[in-house]
Amino acid sequence: MIKPLLVSGFICLCAMSARAQAPVTNLESETFKQHLRSQYLQNDTAQAVINLYSKRQAGGASWILGSALTALRIVTASGRQTDVGGGYVMQEEAPSPAAALMVMPFVAYGVGKLLHYSNGNLEKIVTAYGAGQPLPRNVRRKLKPRFFDQPIIQYKPVEVKPAN
């Protein structure tokens, strides 16, 4: 039991250090949101809508990732042998790969969140709001004070020089 934990911890540590070494700044969704944030820099409601959509997109991705990891765990689970005593051994069967299909509703929920809170929908709502139209009722209802509390930061690109 301790060996898989150590191996997975080592893999996570390596992945985190690799992530820290190679900054990913050219992701399409990040540059898109940075562009929207700079376009509506003085509008706190537009910033809150961008924050809302960012959180919901991350939530959709986490549902998909969690479901994929759960399905992987179900598929790779192996049968166990338990010594009952008296020379008897009880063997439990491993779950079938079809059992991994039980996580499909959770994957569908994550995909639904990603589609509903896509960058295209975000752009439509923020552009319409910037043109003077009121926010749709469902967006107004989802805007909580925590989305307004995040500081508005003007993004400035920084030149990165590789180390020699």
Side-chain angles (χ1 to χ4, degrees):
M1 180 64 185
I2 192 82
K3 185 177 178 182
L5 284 174
L6 290 174
V7 170
S8 64
F10 179 72
I11 290 172
C12 289
L13 182 66
C14 291
M16 290 171 58
S17 65
R19 171 95 171 132
Q21 298 299 322
V24 181
T25 58
N26 293 330
L27 293 177
E28 183 179 331
S29 65
E30 284 185 17
T31 56
F32 174 76
K33 287 185 182 75
Q34 289 174 1
H35 173 71
L36 276 180
R37 286 187 189 280
S38 64
Q39 186 176 356
Y40 297 100
L41 188 61
Q42 303 300 323
N43 192 333
D44 63 339
T45 304
Q47 296 288 330
V49 171
I50 294 169
N51 291 338
L52 168 72
Y53 270 67
S54 296
K55 293 285 187 186
R56 299 295 167 98
Q57 285 175 358
S62 68
W63 275 97
I64 293 171
L65 179 65
S67 301
L69 291 175
T70 302
L72 181 68
R73 176 64 180 114
I74 290 172
V75 168
T76 60
S78 61
R80 297 181 182 162
Q81 292 183 353
T82 308
D83 187 13
V84 178
Y88 292 103
V89 175
M90 185 175 81
Q91 183 163 349
E92 300 172 11
E93 289 187 30
S96 70
L101 294 177
M102 293 186 324
V103 299
M104 288 307 290
F106 302 107
V107 172
Y109 179 72
V111 170
K113 282 184 87 163
L114 285 178
L115 291 176
H116 184 73
Y117 295 101
S118 67
N119 286 340
N121 289 342
L122 171 63
E123 184 178 25
K124 286 181 199 174
I125 289 175
V126 172
T127 305
Y129 181 72
Q133 295 179 2
L135 288 174
R137 183 180 184 278
N138 64 342
V139 175
R140 281 194 324 261
R141 186 175 50 85
K142 292 173 187 167
L143 283 178
K144 306 294 183 209
R146 68 177 180 263
F147 297 120
F148 290 93
D149 292 341
Q150 295 178 352
I152 299 172
I153 301 171
Q154 186 172 7
Y155 290 99
K156 296 177 186 173
V158 177
E159 290 292 324
V160 178
K161 297 178 184 176
N164 294 341

